[in-house]
Amino acid sequence: MMNELLRVTNLTKRFDAQDDPVVNKVSFTVNPEEIFAILGPSGCGKTTTLRLIAGFERTDQGSIQLKGKTLECPYTHRSPEKRGIGFVFQDFALFPHLTVMDNVIFGLRDIPKSQKTARAAEMLELIGMMPFSKRKPHELSGGQQQRVAVARALAPRPEILLMDEPFSNLDAVLRQTTRDEVRRILKEARMSSILVTHDQEEALSVADRIGVMENGSLIQIGTPEEVYYRPKTKFVAQFLGRTNVFPAMASGLEANSNIGNIMLDRPARGDVLISIRPEHLTLEHTTPANTQGISGVVLNKEFKGHDITYHVKLERCNCIVHTDNRMPFSVGDNVVVKPLEPAVVLDKS
Ligand code: ATP
């Protein structure tokens, strides 16, 4: 393909010959300047995939190509330092006794000494840390340390940057500002990257595309909007955020379900499983004139400031509905639940 930078094909890794593969026929591509997130629960094989790409592990099957050159396959193994790949670790791994400037210079091995300071200064400008160049890591906030770790990995101008849970050691507020800042830095440096995370909000807000991983396999690859609004499976639907999953009887673009008759995103026939996000449902007070939708009773209310989540008891099941904060219902209210969007038909798996 014309534009791809990295191609991973059928990558497969077992740590024990008897066990199931930890990474199972994983295939994806990363384009120039793209931020690609691998998202999945703990133990699904994300870190192992990243370590295979970095060259810290050997693959059993499949291949990894960077700019068309094979880095890894069962018969080829280019050593990590010869791959042109940068790595940012979860714990930042800065040297505590070196200044910010010297930490960044440390990453520069193959350029003349005279150019090292200028290159490091350029990186510190990019991350907005030049005023802190003489500080030691312990004199920085966690977010600043993480930006220095990114600058150090970017300084040798790698072809691609790999980041393993880079924000997980930061508290909630710092995590959000640091991830916004790191996205800006990557885009400004026009750097391709792979971000490994178990945090769906992080993947949705930072990445250009997301690969969702379950038990060693990539289940779905798409833009944040595609994986969130058009999940392929129940696992993807539930991992990407809260949702309602119901069995339904489909006939074409409509189905009969526990939340009444509902439109579908694609034609289907017979027994299907559907997902509808809570923000794609709405509530109205029950009145004699309200004949559309399905009746229920408000069981519980989570007030979250900008919006409210209601748990509603229906005749055959419960559902969750997000509304904005101008729709105040109380526990015990009789309501009518109405879909605002078609439900997504999930693959059976
Ligand atoms: P987490 O988010 O918890 O780090 P992960 O998705 O990154 O999880 P991996 O670290 O890739 O998952 O681990 C996947 C599986 O492989 C786990 O069951 C783990 O115990 C196993 N594993 C990882 N490294 C090794 C190893 N060196 N030897 C044996 N098993 C390993």
Side-chain angles (χ1 to χ4, degrees):
M1 282 245 326
M2 31 106 228
N3 209 13
E4 76 195 26
L5 178 78
L6 183 87
R7 171 168 284 266
V8 172
T9 313
N10 278 329
L11 205 61
T12 300
K13 173 76 179 171
R14 281 184 171 83
F15 284 109
D16 193 320
Q18 275 84 52
D19 287 349
D20 289 339
V22 164
V23 174
N24 194 359
K25 296 187 183 153
V26 163
S27 300
F28 65 95
T29 57
V30 182
N31 296 323
E33 302 182 28
E34 184 176 43
I35 305 175
F36 185 90
I38 302 177
L39 172 69
S42 181
C44 73
K46 310 180 292 292
T47 296
T48 306
T49 304
L50 213 61
R51 288 174 57 78
L52 285 162
I53 297 169
F56 302 143
E57 302 284 354
R58 290 297 319 267
T59 191
D60 297 333
Q61 286 162 42
S63 64
I64 301 166
Q65 283 156 329
L66 186 65
K67 286 181 148 177
K69 296 214 173 69
T70 301
L71 301 181
E72 181 77 24
C73 71
Y75 319 105
T76 307
H77 174 74
R78 195 179 290 190
S79 59
E81 65 280 6
K82 297 210 176 95
R83 293 194 172 198
I85 288 178
F87 209 102
V88 177
F89 297 91
Q90 189 172 2
D91 59 0
F92 319 148
L94 297 176
F95 296 109
H97 59 289
L98 295 182
T99 63
V100 164
M101 177 64 98
D102 287 340
N103 260 288
V104 178
I105 286 176
F106 186 86
L108 294 167
R109 286 162 194 273
D110 298 331
I111 71 169
K113 216 173 164 189
S114 58
Q115 291 171 23
K116 287 187 177 180
T117 309
R119 176 85 185 124
E122 188 191 326
M123 286 298 105
L124 292 179
E125 286 292 351
L126 176 72
I127 64 162
M129 289 291 288
M130 202 48 197
F132 300 84
S133 66
K134 293 197 173 64
R135 289 210 191 165
K136 299 272 178 63
H138 74 270
E139 296 166 318
L140 303 176
S141 73
Q144 289 170 331
Q145 289 181 38
Q146 188 55 301
R147 274 147 62 195
V148 175
V150 170
R152 185 179 60 182
L154 288 178
R157 298 191 204 277
E159 298 285 355
I160 188 164
L161 188 67
L162 309 183
M163 299 182 287
D164 191 0
E165 301 273 5
F167 312 113
S168 60
N169 280 348
L170 305 174
D171 67 47
V173 176
L174 210 51
R175 200 178 308 150
Q176 185 158 358
T177 51
T178 307
R179 73 189 186 209
D180 292 349
E181 182 65 0
V182 167
R183 182 177 159 88
R184 179 197 67 77
I185 292 165
L186 293 172
K187 290 296 171 191
E188 214 169 303
R190 307 181 70 179
M191 179 59 56
S192 304
S193 58
I194 303 177
L195 164 75
V196 153
T197 180
H198 64 272
D199 179 333
Q200 109 275 1
E201 196 183 299
E202 186 171 302
L204 290 170
S205 63
V206 175
D208 299 311
R209 275 189 311 145
I210 298 173
V212 185
M213 202 167 188
E214 181 190 19
N215 289 335
S217 302
L218 274 188
I219 305 290
Q220 186 173 3
I221 298 174
T223 62
E225 290 80 4
E226 281 164 354
V227 291
Y228 184 80
Y229 288 120
R230 305 293 292 269
K232 269 170 67 174
T233 66
K234 182 178 172 185
F235 171 80
V236 177
Q238 293 180 329
F239 198 73
L240 266 291
R242 296 171 96 171
T243 194
N244 297 288
V245 174
F246 300 117
M249 182 57 70
S251 67
L253 277 170
E254 276 182 65
N256 188 268
S257 73
N258 289 352
I259 49 166
N261 285 331
I262 189 160
M263 300 297 291
L264 302 177
D265 70 324
R266 61 185 164 100
R269 297 240 159 250
D271 285 336
V272 290
L273 208 55
I274 57 170
S275 163
I276 183 153
R277 297 263 176 226
E279 65 270 29
H280 290 164
L281 294 174
T282 192
L283 295 181
E284 289 175 10
H285 283 290
T286 308
T287 64
N290 226 342
T291 53
Q292 303 263 304
I294 190 138
S295 304
V297 179
V298 176
L299 277 181
N300 186 25
K301 175 178 177 175
E302 294 170 38
F303 178 71
K304 292 175 289 173
H306 55 297
D307 60 22
I308 305 175
T309 302
Y310 291 100
H311 296 244
V312 181
K313 183 171 170 39
L314 306 175
E315 193 185 331
R316 282 183 286 170
C317 64
N318 294 347
C319 70
I320 47 173
V321 183
H322 285 327
T323 68
D324 67 37
N325 56 13
R326 289 166 301 179
M327 296 180 73
F329 296 90
S330 303
V331 172
D333 278 1
N334 289 316
V335 287
V336 176
V337 179
K338 291 186 175 176
L340 298 171
E341 297 283 336
V344 176
V345 180
L346 301 173
D347 285 355
K348 285 196 179 124
S349 61

